[in-house]
């Protein structure tokens, strides 16, 4: 599994918003400057976060973005699945896939299922609050 730039930037954006939203809506340009990410690229990322219901947006003076829930209620797994799609290590474990015709004879299936559980459990244990409370 390789997390794309969109997934990584989405997490950085959300953590930054979580840290700074005490001042109301946070302008995209402020986050872009603090995170050293192109505003144009962040616009693409943020659009998906808003559409996915993770962010609220407000236009105009005093506008920007804020979280829709407390930072403790955002799981890293949720964010990455929104940005990346299924995080399954092999296609046959992706949600909605038809059962593999080789499933009963597959000697590697349990390996992939175990890896899938490890990835899922690991990412589900972290929240945005965990990330912004952890100092580098």
């Amino acid at each position: 599994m390789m997390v794309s730039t969109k997934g990584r930037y989405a997490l950085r954006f959300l953590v930054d918003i979580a840290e700074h939203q005490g001042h109301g809506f946070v302008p995209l340009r402020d986050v872009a400057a603090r995170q050293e990410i192109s505003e144009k690229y962040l616009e693409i990322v943020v659009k998906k976060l808003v559409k996915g219901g993770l962010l609220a947006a407000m236009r105009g003076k005093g506008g920007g973005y804020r979280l829709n829930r407390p930072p403790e209620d955002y799981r890293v797994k949720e964010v990455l699945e929104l940005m990346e799609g299924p995080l399954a290590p092999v296609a046959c474990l992706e949600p909605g896939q038809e059962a593999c015709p080789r499933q009963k004879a597959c000697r590697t299936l349990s390996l992939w299922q175990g890896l899938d559980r490890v990835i899922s459990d690991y990412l589900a244990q972290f929240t945005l609050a965990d990330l912004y409370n952890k100092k580098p």
Side-chain angles (χ1 to χ4, degrees), residues 5-7 9-10 13 28 37-52 55 65 82-83:
T5 305
K6 285 182 185 175
Y9 285 4
F13 185 87
L28 181 107
I37 300 172
S38 154
E39 282 185 55
K40 289 255 186 231
Y41 196 79
L42 265 185
E43 287 173 359
I44 296 165
V45 170
V46 168
K47 184 176 182 179
K48 197 163 188 175
L49 293 171
V50 170
K51 189 174 182 179
L55 285 176
Y65 300 91
L82 174 68
M83 300 307 292

Side-chain angles (χ1 to χ4, degrees), residues 13 102 111 118:
F13 185 87
R102 294 192 25 80
L111 171 83
V118 168

Side-chain angles (χ1 to χ4, degrees), residues 11-12 15-16 18-19 35 71-72 76 122 125-136:
L11 280 173
R12 287 171 54 189
V15 169
D16 191 288
E19 286 181 297
Q35 296 299 317
E72 304 79 39
V76 168
Y122 183 79
Q125 74 181 335
F126 295 101
T127 67
L128 290 183
D130 295 327
L131 297 178
Y132 84 74
N133 285 322
K134 184 176 180 154
K135 301 298 179 201

Side-chain angles (χ1 to χ4, degrees), residues 62-125:
Y65 300 91
R66 69 170 171 76
L67 300 178
N68 281 330
R69 308 185 307 256
E72 304 79 39
D73 292 348
Y74 286 78
R75 298 273 164 204
V76 168
K77 179 182 178 209
E78 169 190 21
V79 175
L80 290 179
E81 285 177 337
L82 174 68
M83 300 307 292
E84 305 289 340
L87 300 175
V90 290
C92 64
L93 295 179
E94 288 182 3
Q97 288 292 331
E98 290 186 32
C100 175
R102 294 192 25 80
Q103 187 173 8
K104 289 184 179 173
C106 183
R107 300 218 182 234
T108 60
L109 180 60
S110 63
L111 171 83
W112 301 127
Q113 289 170 328
L115 180 59
D116 189 43
R117 270 191 308 278
V118 168
I119 291 168
S120 180
D121 292 348
Y122 183 79
L123 294 175
Q125 74 181 335

